Amino acid sequence: MIRVLLFLLTNLAVTIILCILSFFIGIQNYNLYMFIISTFVFGFTGSFISLLLSKKIALLSIKSYIIKNPRNKTEKWLLKFIEKQAKKLEINTPELTIYKSDDINAFATGPTKNSSLIALSDKLIDVMKKNEIKAVISHEITHISNGDMVTMTLIQGIVNTFVIFLSKGIAYILSYMFSNNKNNENIFIKNNIITLVLTLFLEILFGTLSNCITMWFSRKREFYADAGSAKIVGKKHMISALKTINNHVQTFTKEENLATLSIHGKNKKFLDLFMSHPTIKNRIKALNNKTYM
């Protein structure tokens, strides 16, 4: 709730500041003010819709379903372990799904820490030892307990709002500056090819730059989730799980778009700034040095 409130206040404060700034620099146009307000409302709405539908979107993406009644011993102990850890962390028990994948991976999602989902790939269960699986689950449940799903969504929402505003806003202002009739309320020329190309270029540019911010935060949260797992099941089991993942890493398949809060992310070796996860080497190093613990 505190995160949501801060998100709303941030959007409101920036909207007011931009409206005041536009007034003092001489751009007093009703359409501009409406554009500023609608841009932030759009970013706010889109962010929360994405958050509320996160579990359904995840299940559709991986073509899986929630396990309500265990069908075998493995599902039984998985559900029991998740319930046990949830009670210790004083959160509602996350739901569980096991999906088919050639990749060893797991992720957490959900609108709140008390309405969440943990997804494990069948390859992970087949390859990993029991204590390693517990470490992975503990990693994901730490994400949930820390409220990382909500925080990541809100940060992404704010960042996306700024991308939309800056790209369209700059194009809007340039159209205003070079317009022959500055009293025209319909100053923004929607069919202007130059304005459209500029907007698209700026959205790509600002979107790429803003991605560095969200990925930086994502990498930080992975260290904290690893530390949380180490406290629950022991450092050696978390390190063992990371080593197993490192030995079996494959290219992402169906769950690529859900990589933000997964146990490992897609490596983009050409530029570390765009990696959603730290390298396995750095994560093991942080655990051994007790960083973030």
Side-chain angles (χ1 to χ4, degrees):
M1 184 59 67
I2 295 177
R3 291 180 177 89
V4 175
L5 180 60
L6 289 174
F7 173 77
L8 292 172
L9 291 176
T10 301
N11 275 277
L12 179 61
V14 175
T15 301
I16 294 173
I17 291 172
L18 289 173
C19 287
I20 294 174
L21 181 62
S22 300
F23 176 82
F24 279 107
I25 64 177
I27 305 178
Q28 301 175 33
N29 183 278
Y30 174 78
N31 285 344
L32 176 60
Y33 295 147
M34 290 305 298
F35 164 70
I36 294 173
I37 295 172
S38 63
T39 297
F40 282 90
V41 169
F42 177 78
F44 159 80
T45 304
S47 177
F48 273 89
I49 290 176
S50 174
L51 183 63
L52 292 173
L53 298 177
S54 57
K55 283 202 294 185
K56 291 184 178 180
I57 293 172
L59 290 170
L60 286 172
S61 178
I62 59 178
K63 297 180 181 179
S64 189
Y65 57 90
I66 294 170
I67 299 173
K68 295 183 178 180
N69 297 310
R71 300 166 299 177
N72 50 55
K73 291 181 179 179
T74 299
E75 291 183 358
K76 188 175 182 179
W77 79 257
L78 286 171
L79 289 170
K80 190 173 181 180
F81 179 75
I82 291 173
E83 182 180 6
K84 180 181 179 182
Q85 299 311 318
K87 286 182 179 179
K88 286 183 178 180
L89 295 171
E90 298 182 344
I91 60 174
N92 291 347
T93 303
E95 294 175 304
L96 173 67
T97 184
I98 298 174
Y99 64 97
K100 293 183 179 180
S101 176
D102 294 328
D103 193 28
I104 298 179
N105 212 1
F107 65 87
T109 189
T112 69
K113 64 175 65 178
N114 288 315
S115 177
S116 58
L117 171 71
I118 293 177
L120 305 174
S121 70
D122 57 354
K123 184 67 175 294
L124 180 146
I125 294 173
D126 291 339
V127 171
M128 284 191 168
K129 299 175 183 178
K130 190 172 182 178
N131 283 330
E132 292 175 339
I133 297 174
K134 287 183 176 180
V136 170
I137 292 174
S138 299
H139 172 99
E140 300 305 334
I141 208 167
T142 299
H143 273 310
I144 294 169
S145 178
N146 290 341
D148 289 343
M149 295 95 68
V150 176
T151 304
M152 282 299 300
T153 300
L154 297 183
I155 290 175
Q156 189 66 60
I158 293 174
V159 168
N160 287 344
T161 300
F162 271 94
V163 169
I164 295 171
F165 172 78
L166 290 175
S167 57
K168 291 186 177 181
I170 291 175
Y172 185 103
I173 292 173
L174 289 176
S175 296
Y176 177 88
M177 290 174 61
F178 293 101
S179 173
N180 291 326
N181 182 11
K182 295 187 178 182
N183 293 320
N184 183 5
E185 289 294 322
N186 298 315
I187 206 167
F188 186 70
I189 306 172
K190 295 183 179 179
N191 296 324
N192 189 311
I193 296 177
I194 297 177
T195 302
L196 177 60
V197 172
L198 179 61
T199 300
L200 292 174
F201 170 77
L202 290 174
E203 283 185 350
I204 294 172
L205 176 62
F206 293 142
T208 301
L209 294 175
S210 66
N211 196 43
C212 296
I213 299 173
T214 54
M215 291 302 99
W216 173 82
F217 184 82
S218 176
R219 291 193 297 272
K220 289 292 181 182
R221 300 321 298 170
E222 289 306 311
F223 285 123
Y224 285 113
D226 287 346
S229 177
K231 289 179 180 179
I232 294 171
V233 298
K235 182 178 70 174
K236 67 176 183 179
H237 296 312
M238 187 63 229
I239 291 176
S240 179
L242 289 172
K243 288 181 178 179
T244 299
I245 291 171
N246 194 50
N247 292 334
H248 293 83
V249 168
Q250 297 182 26
T251 304
F252 270 89
T253 51
K254 294 177 289 185
E255 67 274 19
E256 181 176 353
N257 60 326
L258 299 166
T260 304
L261 293 182
S262 60
I263 187 67
H264 78 83
K266 189 174 183 180
N267 290 325
K268 299 178 180 180
K269 296 180 181 179
F270 63 92
L271 196 57
D272 290 345
L273 291 174
F274 296 96
M275 290 176 61
S276 62
H277 288 58
T279 62
I280 297 293
K281 180 181 178 180
N282 286 339
R283 291 168 69 177
I284 293 175
K285 182 179 179 180
L287 284 169
N288 284 324
N289 294 336
K290 295 185 178 180
T291 310
Y292 303 98
M293 295 181 72

